[in-house]
Amino acid sequence: MVREPSKRPRAAEASKAAILAAARQRFAADGYDRATIRAIAADASIDPAMVIRYFGSKEKLFAQAADFDLRLPDLTAVPRARVGAAFVEHFLERWEADDTFMALIRAAVTNDAAAKRVRGVLATQVAPMIERVSGDESHTSLRAALVASQLLGFALCRYALRLGPAVTMSRDEVVGWLAPTVQRYVTAPLPVTRRAR
Amino acid sequence: MVREPSKRPRAAEASKAAILAAARQRFAADGYDRATIRAIAADASIDPAMVIRYFGSKEKLFAQAADFDLRLPDLTAVPRARVGAAFVEHFLERWEADDTFMALIRAAVTNDAAAKRVRGVLATQVAPMIERVSGDESHTSLRAALVASQLLGFALCRYALRLGPAVTMSRDEVVGWLAPTVQRYVTAPLPVTRRAR
DNA sequence: GTCTATAATTCGATAGAC
DNA sequence: GTCTATCGAATTATAGAC
């Protein structure tokens, strides 16, 4: 497919891709600790030694496997009253089509490096979009954290804890319940409480 | 303190209690896999072999350490319009005073037995209370799952992911933002959506 | 009851033959 | 580029001395 100056790119690239795909599934299913290099290699039909050779270490492999793009669409294009629903719909589709994000969440619960990465994803991908649609410049990170608490919390219940109702709810039901919550976190003025402490 | 027929109860009971306390902290801080029996024993100033002797295995130790009582108060006693706030307030206090629940959540993300236990806690302690105050008998488990998605999601962000704003928010701010959400999940009629599928 | 010594696994990572 | 063999470290769990 890709050009090759004179040396042969070999099947190495295909192997790396297979390893990454297997790693995402394993990390998503088992978390960082229980996902072993041996198991990942077996899934990819590749020798465990090759995994280390290509990626250097388990941590570096995870870093590449968990390099995640939320692919948030431009929410300034949707009516302001529908941004909550748009958020929920996009997240549902995104993490049902790609194991990477759940792998990241699962790992982040017990791994500091993974947690830092999740914070980075929220700060660089979610928060800027919220700032643009909220019309409130001064509490963006707070609103982003609240949105994350609900969306990640639902993902936790649906995919990790496998709570019956959270698993069986239809897409429309999920949106119907969660959208008003997210809508409020993004657009509502601060509630009346004693600020700080 | 307790009666002893003729044999001596020894310091064994004190040792078991110390082990359980250390286990809860370690499981909460590190998750099931990374929390080693050696570390737990060291925290409790007890030999690692004793841990196995008293509890049989790491899994059985976790089962006892994660035996958690939410201690939900009787929410039928508070005004119906304040049940959301009461829920949030109680959870905040409860999991800030006791590491056990976070240990359970952390472990549940990668351990099926722990996940089953979380489902049990929700089904036996949270759901019945929701049924009593919601006035809707037919969707109790759904409402419980929604409440869990928000409360556990916030705990995830505050204690595991350590998102800046979620960590620094004051108790009143947390209640101010989350209470309306929980209130709606507990008491609101079903949203208008296509049911099932 | 308590602890030392160690068995039995399993893991990540390396060295080197082909 | 790929794989076999293996090292070294860490883990749970057991056997037995004191």
Side-chain angles (χ1 to χ4, degrees):
Chain A
M1 279 302 182
V2 192
R3 57 185 165 55
E4 38 185 295
S6 67
K7 304 161 192 167
R8 325 180 201 165
R10 292 282 192 186
E13 289 305 318
S15 295
K16 291 185 69 170
I19 292 169
L20 277 176
R24 274 189 267 265
Q25 285 190 1
R26 281 286 176 179
F27 283 131
D30 304 333
Y32 183 83
D33 292 305
R34 295 172 114 93
T36 67
I37 287 190
R38 286 167 152 82
I40 292 169
D43 288 353
S45 301
I46 281 174
D47 192 274
M50 299 308 299
V51 177
I52 299 293
R53 179 174 177 83
Y54 284 145
F55 296 92
S57 70
K58 184 179 181 180
E59 283 207 355
K60 290 178 183 173
L61 169 62
F62 177 79
Q64 288 204 31
D67 195 2
F68 190 62
D69 185 354
L70 273 178
R71 300 187 191 171
L72 271 180
D74 181 14
L75 295 182
T76 59
V78 308
R80 183 181 165 85
R82 279 206 80 257
V83 295
F87 257 112
V88 178
E89 286 166 0
H90 180 77
F91 270 82
L92 267 177
E93 287 171 13
R94 195 70 186 87
W95 62 42
E96 238 152 58
D98 188 347
D99 285 337
T100 310
F101 199 61
M102 273 315 293
L104 197 48
I105 299 298
R106 266 209 165 86
V109 171
T110 49
N111 185 292
D112 284 342
K116 190 171 184 176
R117 189 169 287 263
V118 172
R119 292 196 293 269
V121 169
L122 292 174
T124 62
Q125 301 182 42
V126 178
M129 185 61 67
I130 288 180
E131 175 152 359
R132 294 181 60 191
V133 299
S134 71
D136 176 8
E137 284 185 5
S138 53
H139 305 95
T140 301
S141 63
L142 172 65
R143 295 181 189 279
L146 288 165
V147 170
S149 78
Q150 176 60 94
L151 293 180
L152 300 188
F154 185 78
L156 177 77
C157 292
R158 187 176 177 110
Y159 302 109
L161 303 182
R162 303 203 70 78
L163 295 184
V167 174
T168 59
M169 275 174 87
S170 72
R171 180 179 162 286
D172 287 340
E173 283 179 296
V174 176
V175 174
W177 280 107
L178 300 192
T181 299
V182 176
Q183 179 76 27
R184 185 163 56 83
Y185 292 160
V186 173
T187 64
L190 296 191
V192 189
T193 66
R194 294 159 282 279
R195 293 264 317 135
R197 176 55 188 172
Chain B
M1 279 299 182
V2 191
R3 58 182 165 60
E4 40 183 295
S6 68
K7 303 162 191 169
R8 326 178 201 165
R10 292 281 194 190
E13 289 305 317
S15 297
K16 290 185 70 170
I19 293 170
L20 276 177
R24 275 189 265 266
Q25 285 189 2
R26 281 287 176 177
F27 282 132
D30 303 334
Y32 182 84
D33 292 304
R34 295 173 114 94
T36 67
I37 288 189
R38 286 166 150 80
I40 292 170
D43 288 353
S45 302
I46 281 175
D47 191 274
M50 300 307 299
V51 178
I52 299 293
R53 178 174 177 85
Y54 284 145
F55 295 92
S57 71
K58 184 178 179 180
E59 284 208 354
K60 290 178 183 173
L61 170 61
F62 177 78
Q64 288 203 33
D67 196 2
F68 189 63
D69 185 352
L70 274 177
R71 299 186 191 172
L72 271 180
D74 182 12
L75 295 183
T76 59
V78 308
R80 182 180 166 83
R82 278 206 82 259
V83 295
F87 256 111
V88 178
E89 287 166 358
H90 179 77
F91 270 82
L92 267 178
E93 287 172 12
R94 195 69 186 86
W95 62 43
E96 235 151 61
D98 187 348
D99 285 337
T100 310
F101 199 61
M102 272 315 293
L104 197 48
I105 298 298
R106 265 209 165 85
V109 171
T110 50
N111 185 293
D112 284 343
K116 190 171 185 176
R117 191 168 284 264
V118 173
R119 292 196 293 267
V121 169
L122 292 174
T124 61
Q125 301 183 42
V126 179
M129 186 60 68
I130 288 180
E131 175 153 359
R132 294 180 60 192
V133 300
S134 72
D136 176 8
E137 285 185 3
S138 53
H139 305 95
T140 300
S141 63
L142 173 65
R143 294 181 190 279
L146 288 165
V147 170
S149 78
Q150 176 60 95
L151 294 180
L152 301 188
F154 185 77
L156 178 76
C157 292
R158 186 175 177 110
Y159 302 109
L161 302 182
R162 304 203 69 79
L163 295 184
V167 173
T168 58
M169 276 174 86
S170 72
R171 181 179 161 287
D172 286 340
E173 283 179 295
V174 177
V175 174
W177 279 106
L178 300 192
T181 298
V182 175
Q183 179 77 27
R184 185 163 56 82
Y185 292 159
V186 173
T187 63
L190 296 191
V192 189
T193 65
R194 293 160 283 279
R195 295 262 319 132
R197 166 36 193 205

